[in-house]
Amino acid sequence: MNHSNAFTITNPQNGNLAFKLFHFADNNHYDHLQRNNYYSLIWVKKGKGKVKADFAEHVFEENSLLAFSPYQPFMICTQETIEGVAIHFHPDFYCIHMHQQEVSCNGVLFNNIYQPPFTAIHASAETTFNMVIDQMKTEMQNAGLAQYELLISYLKIFLITASRLKKEQLQEATTDVTNTKEPFMLQNLKDAIELHFKTKHAPSHYAELLNISAKALAKISKAHFNKTLTDLISERIIIEAKRELYLTNKAVKEIAYELGYDDEHYFSRFFKTNADISPQGYRETVGFAKATSVTGI
């Protein structure tokens, strides 16, 4: 345990961070580029600013929850003091991929390439979050029997509450733009990427699929996702590669082939450029859930 504002549990096997909860009263922690081997939930209670994540920059308001996946690059830029609470947890402590049916936060809170990486927190969610954080603190100060299990239960409540809120806000945002023709194109583009990202890696492929000029599609992608189409496709491939590296014992060559890369070395360079770590390095530091334990979940 650290001082009263920070509570940390480390993995006894390797000494790495397993779970951490801490309060911050400035931006010293996040004012430089982060690439961590764990999930981060950063609740900015006071203050606003910009968050740079992956290939995009977004403005966030006070009372926002920012969510980032392992090795997702991010940085918070502010002109004013920010205050809040952060929860960091390693996939070996709690893996959102394995427990997708329980919390449904993958593709919503985390690994959502189509939306900004934050959620606006309203009053009822704020009450829940504060209660859960207090319970976590109490448990970490007075560790008892089955501490991990209890903390994971609190973490699940936090994740489910945040995921529901994000889904509500996504539905409201969709309703707001249904008067224009572009939402159909946006949805068609999302569907096309989800369907074909393993075989079609070039923006021109999607322009052909959707019967639209490459220039027009590029403009729509930039306007609505604040990213180029190449960035969207690359991010989607990387998310799938990370999932396979974590959940399976497949060789990197096999994962590369399944994602449409015949050359394992080319794929490894592509992964390292986007994730800032090699595929093998990712597997070793984020953890590797053996196939036997996956089937038992």
Side-chain angles (χ1 to χ4, degrees), residues 62-93:
E62 189 164 284
N63 225 359
S64 293
L65 178 70
L66 285 61
F68 305 103
S69 301
Y71 287 104
Q72 181 179 4
F74 75 90
M75 176 179 174
I76 299 173
C77 309
T78 58
Q79 298 295 316
E80 56 188 274
T81 302
I82 58 170
E83 290 178 30
V85 189
I87 297 171
H88 299 311
F89 62 99
H90 193 278
D92 283 345
F93 179 80

Side-chain angles (χ1 to χ4, degrees), residues 103-144:
V103 294
S104 300
C105 59
N106 187 41
V108 180
L109 272 187
F110 301 104
N111 298 325
N112 182 345
I113 64 172
Y114 307 107
Q115 301 295 333
F118 54 79
T119 310
I121 306 305
H122 59 44
S124 65
E126 190 172 348
T127 304
T128 304
F129 287 163
N130 281 324
M131 182 187 70
V132 169
I133 286 164
D134 286 343
Q135 296 282 8
M136 285 175 171
K137 275 194 240 172
T138 302
E139 181 57 28
M140 292 176 87
Q141 282 171 309
N142 308 294

Side-chain angles (χ1 to χ4, degrees), residues 41 65 87 94 102-103 109 125 127-133 135-136 150-165:
L41 293 161
L65 178 70
I87 297 171
Y94 188 73
E102 291 174 27
V103 294
L109 272 187
T127 304
T128 304
F129 287 163
N130 281 324
M131 182 187 70
V132 169
I133 286 164
Q135 296 282 8
M136 285 175 171
L150 202 53
L151 285 172
I152 285 169
S153 297
Y154 294 140
L155 180 61
K156 280 186 197 173
I157 295 168
F158 198 101
L159 291 171
I160 291 166
T161 305
S163 296
R164 284 178 179 173
L165 194 56

